[in-house]
Every structure is written in C-alpha cells, then in structure tokens.
Amino acid sequence: DVQLVESGGDRVQPGGSLKLSCAASGFTFRTFAMNWVRQAPGGGLEWVSSLSGGGGTTYYADSVKGRFTISRDNSQNTLYLQMNSLRVEDTAVYYCARVESRDLLPGTRSDYWGQGTLVTVSS
Amino acid sequence: DIQMTQSPSSLSASAGDRVTITCRASQNIYNYLNWYQQKPGIAPKLLIYRTSTLQSGVPSRFSGSGSGTYFTLTISSLQPEDFATYYCQQSYTTPLTFGGGTKVDIK
C-alpha cells in the first residue's frame, strides 16, 4: 500500500526555520513527482511546491519562493521541505502528496496524501 | 494566476438528494480540473481528475463535467459518508490553484 508519513512540524518563532520530511513507501518513489500542499487552520487548500521524480524540476508558490526549498532523497524515499524566514501566515498543516506521474505536466493530480504535519509560527 | 471560484460555499442537503457544485476558472484550463473530498481532520482524497474521470474506488454516484472555464461536480444520491468539503483544483499551470471549497452538511 502507498504510504506517505510527514514529520518535522513544530512551533517556531517568526523568522525561524524548520525542515519537514515525508517518508514514502509502497511505490517506486523516484518515478513519481511530489507536491507539498498546506492548509491554514479553518482554511482551504493552498499548493506550496512541486518537485519532479528526478529532482530536476521545481515549482514554488509566490508566497514561499525564496524562503522554502523542496528536495528529495530517492535513495531514502524521502521528500523534504526546508522552510526559512517563517512568517505567522505560514502556520498550517502541511501535506505531502504524490503526483501520479514522474514529470510535472499539465493535467497531473495528487493521488495519495499523507496525514499532514502541523507548523505553528508564533511568538 | 488562475483563480478558481466554487459555488456555493456551503449547502445543506439530505441523504438521497442530488447535489451539484460549480467551479469556475478565471481563464481557459481545458479539461485540467481535479476534484478532492476532505473530511474534518483528514487529508484530502482525490475523487475525479481531468474533469470527469473517477479515481479508482470512487463510487459511481460521483460525476464531473465541463470544459474551458466552467465545471461541475454532481453527487447523484447523497450518502451519509459524503458529508464533507469538496475542492476543485486546476492542474493546467503553476501555481496550481484550488477553489475555496464547498462544505456539504446535513439538512
């Protein structure tokens, strides 16, 4: 069975850093692109970042560009999100989600999601 | 950025009702439209992709249609397990964008 398990969420002060991890199992990790999607408390879904299966192509939402870095270790079947210069508005549950293809083409979809990890940015 | 607008933002319905949710895109996204279902405290679940293709395991009472800028999600006969929030999402271009969600609750 496909499993995605996020970790690394915590409470951090504004301006701080945090690194999220997403451990994948049950599929050939390197052959799938991956997404990070977040959800603020009581809010809707917001796409954060995408990474191709080989790691060569990345995309970011404008709200996190220059502050967040998506990466992956295909030997460890793990996706990461390095978050720097955190802001109060980054407070959210962060989900990793598998994209159903290796490449980030139009028409892709997130077919499996992790349970999410909570990031709270507060002084 | 492509804006996705869902309506209504919430609705109350009874089991057995036919329910339709609308999603409009601010520009042409062809058929690159996905629908997700989310229940409280649980990760979203993919229901429909490419406008009208049901994800494996999704009941046939769910259906999607549309093209260009106008899309709909229909539940033909609402079941108790369908009370949830539904999101549309365009996958035509980045930034990937979601609609604001439609909460379906019990009348």
Side-chain angles (χ1 to χ4, degrees):
Chain A
D1 285 3
V2 171
Q3 280 204 337
L4 298 169
V5 179
E6 301 94 336
S7 61
D10 203 348
R11 185 184 188 97
V12 62
Q13 291 190 337
S17 297
L18 212 53
K19 187 172 186 176
L20 305 183
S21 300
C22 171
S25 60
F27 63 101
T28 305
F29 183 65
R30 67 179 182 276
T31 63
F32 290 87
M34 298 292 294
N35 285 332
W36 285 101
V37 176
R38 68 185 180 184
Q39 187 168 36
L45 300 172
E46 180 189 13
W47 170 77
V48 173
S49 184
S50 298
L51 178 62
S52 61
T57 303
T58 58
Y59 296 105
Y60 296 94
D62 284 348
S63 58
V64 307
K65 199 174 295 181
R67 301 187 299 122
F68 290 11
T69 302
I70 191 172
S71 63
R72 65 194 297 158
D73 184 340
N74 286 344
S75 69
Q76 297 294 317
N77 293 340
T78 303
L79 177 74
Y80 302 101
L81 186 67
Q82 176 67 47
M83 303 186 295
N84 298 332
S85 302
L86 281 161
R87 304 167 180 168
V88 171
E89 55 266 33
D90 295 320
T91 295
V93 173
Y94 284 73
Y95 296 101
C96 68
R98 191 184 82 165
V99 177
E100 94 298 347
S101 68
R102 179 185 177 89
D103 297 311
L104 298 166
L105 300 170
T108 58
R109 58 197 181 268
S110 296
D111 59 355
Y112 288 92
W113 297 61
Q115 85 290 347
T117 188
L118 176 63
V119 173
T120 302
V121 185
S122 173
S123 55
Chain B
D1 297 2
I2 298 176
Q3 309 302 317
M4 306 300 294
T5 304
Q6 283 183 240
S7 61
S9 56
S10 66
L11 66 90
S12 295
S14 302
D17 285 353
R18 181 182 181 89
V19 167
T20 298
I21 298 168
T22 296
C23 178
R24 294 181 186 269
S26 61
Q27 64 188 74
N28 187 357
I29 59 169
Y30 302 91
N31 69 341
Y32 297 128
L33 192 283
N34 302 322
W35 289 98
Y36 297 90
Q37 176 194 65
Q38 187 179 32
K39 298 180 180 179
I42 298 176
K45 170 188 172 184
L46 176 65
L47 289 180
I48 290 173
Y49 60 94
R50 288 286 192 104
T51 296
S52 59
T53 303
L54 257 60
Q55 175 69 353
S56 176
V58 173
S60 59
R61 62 181 179 272
F62 291 92
S63 64
S65 66
S67 66
T69 62
Y70 183 80
F71 303 87
T72 60
L73 170 69
T74 298
I75 309 171
S76 60
S77 177
L78 202 63
Q79 298 301 301
E81 60 268 29
D82 301 335
F83 292 98
T85 299
Y86 294 84
Y87 294 93
C88 62
Q89 177 235 330
Q90 64 83 14
S91 59
Y92 175 60
T93 188
T94 56
L96 305 178
T97 45
F98 290 88
T102 297
K103 183 177 181 181
V104 177
D105 61 22
I106 301 171
K107 183 184 289 185

